[in-house]
Amino acid sequence: MSDRSFLPRLVSSALLICLLWATVYWSRTHWFACLLVCEAIVLLGLKELLALLRAKKVQVFELYTLAGGAAVTAAIFFSSFPENLPGDMVFSVLFVWCLGLFFLQAAQPSVDGATQTLFSSIASLLYVPFLFGFLIKINYMAGVDGRIWVFYTFAAVYAADMSAYLVGSLAGKRPLAPTISPHKTAEGAVGALLGACAASLILQRLLLPEFP
């Protein structure tokens, strides 16, 4: 990575960290703003994934998938806080969305690529909003301050990313998975693991001293 691209990445990462910190810190008192940030993250993630599918010529019902992502995120949020609605609501939203997806596909003039379209659409919804929803659940865990666990998780991930970049740039020689990401190296992967472990040890002392 060139220095010219590193500085914008550093600045954008710093801004995103500030947004993350503010969103999580005030997530209980300003929960609606937290919901909006979560929706924005999910929709941006879905748009990026759908763009990759489009580049591979995979047909997906994009607007319907984006709407489903927003609905699933809201269902997960409100099953956690502030209303604590039944968790079954999340699966009910997923079921209704899948039902609508099949009707959409059935209304198409051709069945060519139907299986790929259906599974790609469903996988998109599970991969982005459903998995992201676990962060929401962690943040609003009952009986503990889940915000600490969210900070802990993101700090470990950032430490892994930075360690992978530094070790990979300085000592990376053996490609890790060249067909998937040609610039990733085995040395960088080891650096990521060590960085995450080091961050975890430090954060345990600072944020979670009651845990061994």
Side-chain angles (χ1 to χ4, degrees):
M1 186 186 300
S2 66
D3 293 337
R4 187 173 298 176
S5 65
F6 178 72
L7 183 59
R9 286 170 182 253
L10 184 64
V11 173
S12 62
S13 295
L15 293 175
L16 287 173
I17 290 172
C18 292
L19 176 62
L20 166 70
W21 186 89
T23 301
V24 175
Y25 184 79
W26 282 293
S27 58
R28 293 181 181 270
T29 55
H30 298 77
W31 62 265
F32 188 72
C34 180
L35 172 62
L36 293 180
V37 172
C38 290
E39 292 282 11
I41 292 172
V42 166
L43 292 177
L44 287 172
L46 270 177
K47 281 181 67 68
E48 183 173 350
L49 179 58
L50 293 173
L52 291 173
L53 291 172
R54 195 186 317 120
K56 292 295 183 180
K57 310 298 182 185
V58 178
Q59 180 186 356
V60 180
F61 299 105
E62 294 193 16
L63 290 178
Y64 187 72
T65 303
L66 290 172
V72 169
T73 302
I76 293 172
F77 194 96
F78 286 114
S79 68
S80 308
F81 188 90
E83 303 296 337
N84 291 323
L85 297 178
D88 292 346
M89 185 177 69
V90 178
F91 293 100
S92 298
V93 170
L94 277 171
F95 175 76
V96 172
W97 181 85
C98 287
L99 195 62
L101 179 66
F102 282 107
F103 280 118
L104 269 177
Q105 183 60 58
Q108 299 303 304
S110 173
V111 295
D112 292 341
T115 301
Q116 189 179 48
T117 296
L118 290 173
F119 279 97
S120 296
S121 300
I122 295 172
S124 297
L125 215 64
L126 293 177
Y127 184 60
V128 181
F130 188 75
L131 292 182
F132 178 83
F134 284 100
L135 276 177
I136 300 174
K137 305 292 281 187
I138 291 171
N139 186 65
Y140 291 112
M141 280 192 300
V144 297
D145 191 350
R147 297 176 299 176
I148 292 177
W149 289 97
V150 174
F151 287 135
Y152 178 94
T153 302
F154 272 94
V157 170
Y158 271 110
D161 280 346
M162 289 187 292
S163 300
Y165 173 75
L166 291 174
V167 174
S169 299
L170 296 174
K173 294 180 180 179
R174 287 178 282 273
L176 181 65
T179 57
I180 298 174
S181 184
H183 299 296
K184 298 291 190 295
T185 62
E187 292 81 2
V190 173
L193 179 61
L194 294 177
C197 290
S200 293
L201 291 173
I202 296 171
L203 291 167
Q204 182 268 327
R205 296 294 182 91
L206 295 176
L207 300 178
L208 301 164
E210 70 275 14
F211 284 89

